[in-house]
Amino acid sequence: MTFLANEWYADLGEVEQRRLLFPAFENTIRRITRAHQMARAGNGPRHVMVLGPSGAGKSSVLEEYLHHFPSSEEVEQRRIPVLRVEIKSSPTVRSVAEDILKAMGVAMAYRGTVNEKTDRVVASLAKFGVELLMLDEVQHLLGANKRSFGSNDETEWLKTLLNLINIPVVLSGLPYAQALLSTNEQLRRRLDGVCYLSPFSIDDEEAAADFAGVVNWFDGEIHGGKAIGLHENGMLARMFYASDGLIGYLSKLLIGAMEIRLEHDHKRVELWMLEQSFTQRLWAEGVGPLNPFHKKFVQRRLNRAGELFAPTAFSALAAASS
């Protein structure tokens, strides 16, 4: 069995930690910054909605912003300027309130009625000096697992919370989370815009050039700063089909190929490494004609039923209900 040297693991870790600040990413950071700083200046809270498919970079945006506002232990009290909370699948009002309390480190978050938990959430956000609340995976509030999209106990509770806390909130989720706006007039009124993190494309020359720039950036990262041309000679389309234009999938694919390169002590990522990385890191069933780096690849998006990028049942239901 071959093991990577310790310094190679460090190299892989460094590449994984770096972020490509593509235009939509930077625009979203700017919108969040504006909402945060406007509230700090004493203005009423303005909220931001961040939408995009899985792998488009939503979580990376939140992580990047959170990195600049870490929690701190002060003399008498812990301070949490920015709080991020992930909404779990099939949430209840009780579970969402508990998760917010747990994210702040509040003891015995499970105790109390819904009203008591709500009061503790409001009081704790003030106590810890939370200036900006980030709620991730907010599409779960819409009750997708209940096969319903619209007002329910969870979305009504969100209305109440927004009324009570008086701080800006970032709502991040899949595209159909925009349905929250139709259930929450206050949210619509106070929204400082919807930021879309859309997949990259190769449909036209300009879009293809943008995606080529992204591939080239990763190319340099996985080759120690000197790109070898992984977007050239027909490879750009292969990269697109392997990732469906989603930066999260592209990152996993290329960092996986880097790991294989280091394991075999090669200087350059080769086609067979990309083929292997796709199967190992993205889609185990993606072999032969369904692997973008195989010589007999079908040359199309992998979005048919049962394939890697097939629409989910919930996204299809949401689209039908909109």
Side-chain angles (χ1 to χ4, degrees):
M1 180 179 292
T2 303
F3 291 94
L4 296 183
N6 288 336
E7 63 269 21
W8 291 348
Y9 285 113
D11 290 344
L12 286 166
E14 286 181 10
V15 173
E16 286 182 337
Q17 293 301 314
R18 294 189 191 119
R19 303 209 189 281
L20 171 60
L21 305 182
F22 55 95
F25 188 106
E26 290 187 314
N27 177 61
T28 305
I29 291 287
R30 281 196 299 270
R31 298 286 280 276
I32 295 172
T33 300
R34 182 171 68 184
H36 188 183
Q37 295 303 324
M38 287 286 285
R40 277 184 157 186
N43 297 283
R46 305 293 293 177
H47 311 305
V48 177
M49 181 168 270
V50 181
L51 301 178
S54 178
K58 302 183 302 298
S59 294
S60 293
V61 165
L62 303 190
E63 290 166 6
E64 177 68 17
Y65 195 83
L66 187 62
H67 174 73
H68 295 282
F69 296 92
S71 301
S72 60
E73 299 294 337
E74 300 186 352
V75 177
E76 296 183 354
Q77 182 62 58
R78 186 183 183 203
R79 186 168 178 276
I80 311 173
V82 177
L83 181 71
R84 180 187 177 192
V85 181
E86 182 175 325
I87 306 298
K88 295 184 176 65
S89 180
S90 300
T92 63
V93 172
R94 181 182 294 273
S95 71
V96 175
E98 283 183 16
D99 287 341
I100 295 174
L101 292 169
K102 288 175 183 176
M104 291 184 281
V106 176
M108 293 181 286
Y110 58 88
R111 285 192 175 180
T113 65
V114 167
N115 288 339
E116 288 169 342
K117 287 179 187 295
T118 302
D119 290 342
R120 290 178 75 194
V121 167
V122 175
S124 298
L125 288 170
K127 175 183 177 182
F128 293 111
V130 177
E131 302 169 350
L132 178 75
L133 174 62
M134 295 175 165
L135 298 178
D136 200 5
E137 305 293 353
V138 292
Q139 74 276 358
H140 291 150
L141 294 174
L142 288 165
N145 290 339
K146 304 167 190 174
R147 302 189 69 78
S148 64
F149 290 86
S151 182
N152 54 37
D153 290 346
E154 291 72 42
T155 59
E156 289 299 313
W157 183 80
L158 178 62
K159 290 183 190 179
T160 301
L161 184 67
L162 292 177
N163 278 328
L164 294 173
I165 60 178
N166 203 38
I167 61 173
V169 178
V170 176
L171 302 169
S172 175
L174 297 178
Y176 70 82
Q178 190 161 0
L180 281 168
L181 299 181
S182 65
T183 70
N184 193 327
E185 181 181 349
Q186 179 190 334
L187 177 57
R188 288 199 308 273
R189 189 173 66 250
R190 290 189 176 181
L191 194 69
D192 197 30
V194 179
C195 300
Y196 294 97
L197 292 171
S198 302
F200 288 91
S201 171
I202 56 171
D203 286 345
D204 57 58
E205 188 174 335
E206 183 178 354
D210 288 342
F211 186 57
V214 171
V215 174
N216 191 62
W217 183 85
F218 277 108
D219 187 354
E221 290 295 304
I222 67 173
H223 288 105
K226 188 174 182 180
I228 64 169
L230 286 179
H231 64 287
E232 299 172 347
N233 301 319
M235 286 294 290
L236 188 66
R238 292 177 183 267
M239 293 289 178
F240 174 76
Y241 292 129
S243 64
D244 213 38
L246 295 163
I247 197 164
Y249 285 89
L250 183 67
S251 175
K252 288 178 68 175
L253 170 75
L254 293 176
I255 292 173
M258 176 186 177
E259 184 173 352
I260 295 168
R261 174 179 73 80
L262 294 173
E263 181 181 352
H264 289 84
D265 198 24
H266 283 226
K267 292 184 178 181
R268 299 163 58 98
V269 165
E270 299 175 8
L271 194 64
W272 68 269
M273 300 176 190
L274 291 163
E275 181 179 354
Q276 190 176 111
S277 178
F278 181 79
T279 303
Q280 291 180 350
R281 301 289 295 270
L282 300 186
W283 189 32
E285 290 77 23
V287 296
L290 293 180
N291 189 306
F293 305 100
H294 188 272
K295 61 183 179 180
K296 293 185 178 180
F297 176 59
V298 292
Q299 296 295 325
R300 62 167 175 81
R301 290 180 64 197
L302 299 171
N303 60 353
R304 296 181 182 176
E307 294 180 348
L308 178 59
F309 301 110
T312 66
F314 293 143
S315 62
L317 180 61
S321 68
S322 61

